[in-house]
Amino acid sequence: MATADNQDAPPAVVVVGPDGRVSGWSEGGCRLLGWTADDVVGRPVTDLLAAPPPPGFPESDDTAPSGPVALRHRDGHTVDAVVTTQALRGPHGLVQGHVVTVQRWDRRPVIADRAFEQCPFALGVYDPELRFLWINASSGRVIAHTEEQVLGRHYREVLPEFDRSLFPERDDKPYTDQLAEVARTGRPARLITVFRPLGSNYANAWATSIWPVRDAEGKVRAVANWGFDMSAEYWARQRLLILNEAGRDIGRTLDVIGTSRELAMSAVPGFTDLVTVDLWEEVLRGEEPPSPSTLTGGDALRLSRAARHSADEDTGGGAGQPVTFAADSVAARCMATGTSMVQLAEEPGPGGEWAFGPGLAADPAHWPPGNPLIDASLAADGLTGRITVPLRARGALLGVVAFSRTERPEAFTADDLILAEELTAKAAVAIDNARRYSRERTTALTLQRSLLLQSLPNQEAVEVATRYLPAGTGAEVGGDWFDVIPLSGARVALIVGDVVGHGLHASASMGRLRTAVRTLADVDLPPDELLTHLDDLVLHLASDLQPTDASHPTTVQTIGETGATCLYAVYDPVSRRLTLASAGHPLPLVLSPDGSRTPLPAQPGPPLGIGGLPFEATEIELPEGSLLALFTDGLIESRERDLDEGIAELLRVLDPAADSLEVLCDTVTDATLPERRTDDAALLLARTRALDPQHVADWDVEPDFAQVPRVRKAAVDQVEAWGLAEAAFVTELVVSELVTNAIRYGDPPIRLRLVRDTALICEVSDASNTAPHLRRARAFDEGGRGLLLVAQLTQGWGTRHTTHGKTIWCAQSLPQPGAG
């Protein structure tokens, strides 16, 4: 057994004569085996062996170290040693003996040499000029050179493929430059190197370390490196990274085209060089895709290009162009069978093997049936390989995706097919979600637009322009709305409202509210009373939808659950007075003709559906030509700015002197709406007009039936003075009936007013709150025919209540100019 104290003993040098006897003995021999020179000189060298000598010992001229040789120590134990023999030659090259160098097998330099030589990692040592000094067997296998072939040669000469970067777009330094930098700076480096060996069609990934080798003074005398092939782990990690990024990037927008482009961009350049996404035209429109059974007819497939992306080209702008696939094409077969297909442009190697990296699924047994398909026609298209995957989600076939490689020569693997199918599956769900959302949004938008004001009514009280702008494609349709309702007495109601929430339920709730407001407006209620009735209606709707059976709860969202606001304003062009009330809605902006802002002494009331709280009406007088701006919060509020900033911006662009309110609407929306809005916006601009005093006539009526002929004649004279002689007869009858009823059933004061506007309006007011109603008079009744007569002779009649009583009105259509 060896002892630790002589583990570091210097090698023993033994000189053996031609007769095989020891003729010289070094001090190292004494320290290694315990024998002195007197003990061994003159004895056969074989006496030092504890076992039969190796073949040819010691005459062998093989200078390579032998395997372990058992030597006999003086104290009797065995020493395992490595023996190197060199011949001693005299004149004429005659062998005059041998020099035998003996060193312990477990001596550190020896065991280290053996460990490095047999290391499974590739090891190498180079001088500061990057000339080969030593490589181990593993390194020789990797670079396909023996140590004798590379010693003294430059690294760049032996391995030119390491002198360039596989991914120049990443600014990666070539590996040779990394070695040179360590030799120059003396700073070690650890890195992962991706390179493509010469003659290979696959890129390998190696984990490597580079460190300087210094002398006793610290000077860099050499550079060493080690590395091992981690291609399998590296490419698996790259696939996971691609999938992770795809999960983050695909489906960010509820847009079919946008999601298709996200899929295409997620695979380039990390996975492929070119991706195309083709979908059914119905999918782009948000409709249901055709049934897969339509693919069995043998006809060519007609799809639409949704996205195309490559590393140096992005033609996403051409989305929607038609794409046709022959019935026997790979794309058509993949869609018909629902299976993916891998096409490769090259045949396998001479032995049938594919040139894949180690650890990857190179065995054809790993491929699904029918894959890969060798297709020489790919080369004509500039492709080295293509994976075609049908795009399916929830059992529906949406289209097809093609992943192609053009620049990189490495062939697709079975693992690449799995990655392509994973990417496509992620995108398919997102595209189908976008399609469904597009369909619902289109339905909601169609419903909402059908419920909104389709055309402005005929009225002369205000000049009106409106805009409704739905949120961007990434958001659902909301419940914003507006309305313009002509009222009696030449007045007009201006309404704007907002149902909180989005989607079909918001549009339906908006439709309910608008219908309710129009119904209540026909009753001619004051703004505060109208909102009170509307609030009650919302509460009733909410209670009607509450489930009676707790085990079957309803999923319908009511207006009360989502919230709603409404602003109701009435403008009278005769008095130039504006009366308004708000249920949680922003108050309108009112600007005088000179551009100054008219303050409104009002506060919004509670939103609709709360109940129990009052609404207050505010009345102000406006100069002719005043500008009213009614809006929803989507116009002035966003994530980037608050309400006050939005109102300030709106005030900045509003111009009461604008020639066209339509143009002003566009100016306002362009200036105030954010690019990426998430809420609907409604805008109603109204410029007030004042009715010419010459078109209004009124009379006080004493509560005496004898006054009826007087006011009847005064009304006829006024109508004729307006040039409306054709309306004199009907006016005489309705004035007589309405004034008579007011005297008989009403309370003083009684007042008659004629208004010439788009119609001839006759109004009779009194202090009684009792509302008349139509009834059918029996054959012998003396009364009950007055209002029926008025209703039949005029185009409309009604009653509106005021704070001081009521007003009964009727309207006659005026003859059109030129009618005769």
Side-chain angles (χ1 to χ4, degrees):
M1 295 293 293
T3 58
D5 58 353
N6 65 356
Q7 189 179 30
D8 293 326
V13 178
V14 183
V15 180
V16 182
D19 57 357
R21 294 180 179 274
V22 177
S23 60
W25 185 254
S26 70
E27 180 63 24
C30 182
R31 294 181 58 184
L32 179 63
L33 298 176
W35 302 100
T36 66
D38 293 338
D39 295 331
V40 297
V41 171
R43 296 176 59 182
V45 70
T46 54
D47 288 351
L48 299 176
L49 303 180
F57 178 82
E59 290 83 7
S60 174
D61 286 337
D62 186 2
T63 58
S66 68
V69 175
L71 300 179
R72 181 181 295 111
H73 196 274
R74 184 173 185 174
D75 61 10
H77 74 265
T78 301
V79 177
D80 289 333
V82 175
V83 177
T84 303
T85 302
Q86 291 183 320
L88 285 174
R89 298 183 184 275
H92 310 294
L94 296 176
V95 177
Q96 297 179 348
H98 292 82
V99 177
V100 180
T101 303
V102 181
Q103 54 185 341
R104 289 178 54 89
W105 166 257
D106 58 354
R107 188 170 179 267
R108 289 190 181 94
V110 177
I111 196 68
D113 286 346
R114 295 286 178 166
F116 290 146
E117 179 63 29
Q118 299 172 17
C119 177
F121 300 156
L123 300 172
V125 183
Y126 322 94
D127 69 14
E129 301 300 323
L130 301 189
R131 287 185 288 261
F132 279 82
L133 297 178
W134 173 84
I135 60 172
N136 70 345
S138 294
S139 181
R141 288 191 295 271
V142 170
I143 66 175
H145 288 76
T146 65
E147 185 177 16
E148 289 76 13
Q149 291 174 323
V150 299
L151 288 182
R153 296 173 63 186
H154 283 279
Y155 196 89
R156 285 185 169 88
E157 176 189 354
V158 177
L159 299 171
E161 60 268 29
F162 285 88
D163 207 16
R164 63 181 182 274
S165 173
L166 188 63
F167 303 109
E169 69 277 4
R170 301 181 187 174
D171 296 326
D172 290 345
K173 287 185 179 180
Y175 187 72
T176 308
D177 290 350
Q178 300 274 8
L179 280 172
E181 184 171 346
V182 173
R184 178 177 56 84
T185 64
R187 291 193 296 269
R190 297 179 62 186
L191 58 150
I192 294 177
T193 301
V194 181
F195 70 98
R196 184 181 298 116
L198 291 178
S200 172
N201 66 344
Y202 193 84
N204 293 327
W206 281 70
T208 64
S209 287
I210 310 171
W211 68 94
V213 180
R214 304 177 186 271
D215 58 18
E217 287 74 31
K219 184 177 181 180
V220 176
R221 294 294 185 178
V223 177
N225 69 345
W226 69 264
F228 70 92
D229 190 347
M230 57 171 297
S231 298
E233 297 82 357
Y234 179 83
W235 294 120
R237 181 174 181 272
Q238 294 303 111
R239 294 185 183 95
L240 287 177
L241 289 175
I242 292 173
L243 284 175
N244 181 59
E245 292 178 0
R248 180 194 63 199
D249 296 338
I250 296 177
R252 292 179 298 177
T253 60
L254 286 170
D255 177 71
V256 172
I257 296 294
T259 304
S260 299
R261 293 194 63 191
E262 290 165 356
L263 167 61
M265 297 175 70
S266 69
V268 177
F271 176 42
T272 57
D273 304 310
L274 171 66
V275 179
T276 58
V277 182
D278 301 310
L279 306 175
W280 294 111
E281 177 65 28
E282 290 84 350
V283 175
L284 293 181
R285 296 196 301 263
E287 302 172 3
E288 290 292 331
S291 171
S293 60
T294 60
L295 302 175
T296 59
D299 298 330
L301 295 185
R302 291 175 175 82
L303 305 178
S304 293
R305 177 61 46 84
R308 172 189 168 93
H309 183 73
S310 65
D312 55 357
E313 174 190 22
D314 184 2
T315 58
Q321 70 180 71
V323 180
T324 302
F325 295 101
D328 60 348
S329 65
V330 170
R333 297 205 304 270
C334 289
M335 293 181 68
T337 61
T339 59
S340 305
M341 176 66 69
V342 180
Q343 297 166 272
L344 300 178
E346 296 183 359
E347 293 281 356
E353 74 283 352
W354 292 95
F356 297 121
L360 296 174
D363 188 342
H366 290 82
W367 287 100
N371 287 290
L373 173 68
I374 307 304
D375 189 347
S377 66
L378 290 181
D381 297 331
L383 306 180
T384 60
R386 179 168 59 204
I387 300 179
T388 306
V389 185
L391 196 71
R392 302 177 65 90
R394 303 181 178 97
L397 179 62
L398 308 177
V400 67
V401 185
F403 301 88
S404 304
R405 284 181 174 171
T406 58
E407 299 296 331
R408 65 192 80 193
E410 59 262 30
F412 283 117
T413 69
D415 288 341
D416 291 331
L417 173 58
I418 294 173
L419 175 59
E421 291 179 333
E422 286 284 346
L423 289 173
T424 303
K426 286 179 179 292
V429 174
I431 289 174
D432 194 50
N433 288 341
R435 177 190 66 81
R436 291 166 179 258
Y437 164 77
S438 178
R439 179 181 60 187
E440 180 178 341
R441 187 175 188 274
T442 300
T443 302
L445 190 58
T446 302
L447 172 62
Q448 185 174 42
R449 290 193 182 280
S450 69
L451 296 174
L452 286 173
L453 185 65
Q454 300 300 307
S455 61
L456 294 175
N458 184 26
Q459 52 82 34
E460 295 295 329
V462 291
E463 176 190 357
V464 177
T466 61
R467 289 292 185 275
Y468 168 71
L469 297 103
T473 57
E476 295 181 282
V477 175
D480 294 15
W481 57 284
F482 54 79
D483 212 340
V484 179
I485 305 175
L487 301 177
S488 62
R491 298 169 306 138
V492 65
L494 307 173
I495 307 101
V496 65
D498 185 1
V499 174
V500 179
H502 297 85
L504 287 172
H505 74 273
S507 297
S509 298
M510 178 272 290
R512 294 191 191 102
L513 284 182
R514 181 170 180 261
T515 301
V517 170
R518 280 191 159 263
T519 302
L520 294 171
D522 285 342
V523 184
D524 230 332
L525 295 174
D528 53 339
E529 292 187 29
L530 183 142
L531 291 182
T532 300
H533 285 284
L534 191 62
D535 186 51
D536 292 339
L537 175 64
V538 170
L539 290 174
H540 290 319
L541 287 174
S543 62
D544 289 345
L545 291 174
Q546 292 300 319
T548 56
D549 184 356
S551 62
H552 296 83
T554 180
T555 58
V556 179
Q557 287 183 286
T558 66
I559 304 173
E561 289 174 333
T562 58
T565 63
C566 182
L567 174 75
Y568 188 86
V570 176
Y571 176 69
D572 186 347
V574 178
S575 64
R576 293 185 287 105
R577 301 192 72 81
L578 176 72
T579 307
L580 61 89
S582 169
H585 201 87
L587 297 176
L589 298 181
V590 182
L591 278 72
S592 300
D594 60 4
S596 61
R597 181 180 179 182
T598 302
L600 292 176
Q603 290 293 330
L608 298 172
I610 294 180
L613 297 175
F615 299 97
E616 297 183 2
T618 299
E619 184 175 312
I620 60 172
E621 184 175 336
L622 301 177
E624 183 180 1
S626 296
L627 180 65
L628 308 179
L630 288 73
F631 50 86
T632 58
D633 57 4
L635 182 73
I636 59 173
E637 199 171 13
S638 68
R639 295 175 181 175
E640 291 78 21
R641 68 183 180 203
D642 58 22
L643 184 64
D644 293 337
E645 292 174 335
I647 290 178
E649 179 66 15
L650 181 56
L651 284 171
R652 185 185 66 81
V653 296
L654 284 175
D655 181 12
D659 294 335
S660 169
L661 289 189
E662 291 291 335
V663 174
L664 183 58
C665 271
D666 294 333
T667 302
V668 168
T669 54
D670 290 343
T672 58
L673 286 177
E675 290 186 11
R676 298 176 63 89
R677 59 183 184 273
T678 58
D679 195 7
D680 292 13
L683 173 66
L684 189 155
L685 296 181
R687 184 152 46 200
T688 63
R689 296 168 176 156
L691 198 63
D692 188 342
Q694 300 298 322
H695 289 181
V696 181
D698 54 4
W699 299 269
D700 291 325
V701 180
E702 296 294 330
D704 183 356
F705 291 108
Q707 295 293 318
V708 175
R710 180 183 67 82
V711 296
R712 184 170 56 205
K713 182 179 184 307
V716 171
D717 292 342
Q718 182 61 63
V719 169
E720 291 178 346
W722 283 338
L724 304 175
E726 296 89 344
F729 176 71
V730 174
T731 301
E732 184 177 10
L733 289 177
V734 298
V735 165
S736 178
E737 290 295 334
L738 295 181
V739 170
T740 299
N741 280 348
I743 295 173
R744 178 174 300 163
Y745 301 110
D747 297 327
I750 301 172
R751 191 171 184 81
L752 168 66
R753 185 171 78 164
L754 294 180
V755 179
R756 179 185 177 182
D757 189 39
T758 55
L760 179 60
I761 302 168
C762 176
E763 299 178 341
V764 177
S765 304
D766 68 84
S768 172
N769 287 319
T770 304
H773 60 276
L774 282 176
R775 64 184 179 87
R776 183 176 297 277
R778 292 187 293 271
F780 298 102
D781 286 349
E782 295 183 1
R785 298 177 176 85
L787 284 181
L788 181 60
L789 181 64
V790 170
Q792 291 178 335
L793 293 176
T794 61
Q795 278 63 54
W797 77 280
T799 303
R800 68 173 180 270
H801 291 270
T802 66
T803 56
H804 305 293
K806 67 176 183 296
T807 298
I808 303 175
W809 60 271
C810 63
Q812 303 176 60
S813 297
L814 295 179
Q816 297 298 319

